Amino acid sequence: MRERTLDRVRKLLAKAERTDNEHERATFMAAASSLMARHGIDSLDPAEPRRGPRDRVVVLPDPWAREKARLVSLVAQAVRCRPLLIGRGEGGQRVHIFGFASDLERADVLATSLLLQMASGLARVSLPPDVTAVRAYRRSWLLGFTDEVHRLLSQAEARAEAQAPGAGTALVLADRRAEVERAVADQYPRVRTVRPRTSGTGYRDGAEAGRRADLGRTGMDAAAPRELPGRASG
């Protein structure tokens, strides 16, 4: 059943990637995010022997490597993983993501699709006539898109948790979050929070595009990873 659900999610995401109709894209993404959130709850089985948290490093290439890394980080955060921005290397911005296998898989499926949707959305953007700082506008558009996607994914996750049968789900989730935090602390005892800056109306336009996609931050300085707080403002 779980593989069947993931297959349905991938098909919905593929449809969202292909369509130029924003209403259709919103419909496909709403269905995909809801299914993916339920899949995350269905994957919990406190009686089943399981391995502890795992981790992986994702490298996001230019252009817009930092903004891509931010999208990957906040998508991972929304589906109960812990992302850390660890700086440039190996051809792009690196994100170190910690989480249980099923959540890492969900983060990968969603982020892969949303990176494509974000790139195609930015390519279709028509700049307002009063915009002179083009790169700043485009960057704030990307930040707005990412924050709105994060908000919508987080809402879907919260609904799925609230609708889960039985009282054990909350305890299992709390236990898993604690294990993930311990895994992060073992590798990165010092973590600082960073917040991206935005400018102009690009942020609002990007957030609107994120809503149509329908679906804090953690990080490092030279010695410590950086964490995204919540959504950016601007």
Side-chain angles (χ1 to χ4, degrees):
M1 175 62 75
R2 294 171 187 171
E3 281 305 314
R4 190 180 310 165
T5 300
L6 271 181
D7 186 55
R8 290 173 62 194
V9 169
R10 291 188 180 100
K11 288 178 179 176
L12 286 165
L13 292 173
K15 290 178 179 179
E17 293 161 16
R18 290 194 298 265
T19 184
D20 290 329
N21 183 297
E22 296 298 346
H23 177 72
E24 289 182 353
R25 186 189 306 275
T27 300
F28 293 141
M29 288 307 301
S33 59
S34 179
L35 270 177
M36 188 63 92
R38 290 206 300 272
H39 173 70
I41 296 298
D42 292 343
S43 298
L44 300 175
D45 187 353
E48 179 183 358
R50 56 177 172 77
R51 295 175 57 181
R54 304 180 188 182
D55 67 289
R56 66 177 60 160
V57 175
V58 180
V59 182
L60 289 308
D62 290 322
W64 304 109
R66 289 178 63 85
E67 289 70 30
K68 291 174 183 175
R70 186 167 182 276
L71 175 68
V72 168
S73 294
L74 286 182
V75 168
Q77 188 182 85
V79 296
R80 298 195 298 270
C81 296
R82 179 74 183 278
L84 294 169
L85 303 179
I86 56 176
R88 291 196 69 90
E90 302 175 9
Q93 288 288 336
R94 296 171 300 158
V95 182
H96 197 168
I97 304 174
F98 295 78
F100 283 86
S102 60
D103 293 329
L104 288 172
E105 181 180 34
R106 294 194 304 139
D108 180 62
V109 170
L110 287 167
T112 299
S113 175
L114 285 164
L115 283 168
L116 290 173
Q117 293 186 55
M118 186 171 73
S120 63
L122 183 64
R124 292 194 302 270
V125 166
S126 297
L127 272 67
D130 59 338
V131 170
T132 56
V134 175
R135 180 173 177 80
Y137 176 91
R138 292 183 181 278
R139 179 175 180 273
S140 63
W141 187 97
L142 293 169
L143 296 179
F145 178 94
T146 296
D147 281 353
E148 189 61 18
V149 161
H150 174 255
R151 184 183 72 83
L152 294 165
L153 280 175
S154 297
Q155 287 180 345
E157 292 291 317
R159 284 194 300 270
E161 290 183 25
Q163 294 167 3
T169 298
L171 294 175
V172 173
L173 291 175
D175 177 63
R176 289 192 172 204
R177 289 186 181 106
E179 289 191 52
V180 170
E181 290 300 321
R182 283 194 292 270
V184 172
D186 285 344
Q187 290 200 44
Y188 300 113
R190 294 173 54 210
V191 177
R192 69 182 180 88
T193 300
V194 297
R195 183 180 298 278
R197 297 178 180 177
T198 66
S199 64
T201 58
Y203 184 90
R204 293 190 296 274
D205 295 343
E208 178 60 30
R211 279 189 287 277
R212 291 195 298 268
D214 215 351
L215 280 172
R217 138 183 166 188
T218 64
M220 256 180 212
D221 54 20
R226 297 172 298 165
E227 182 171 42
L228 302 174
R231 299 189 301 155
S233 61

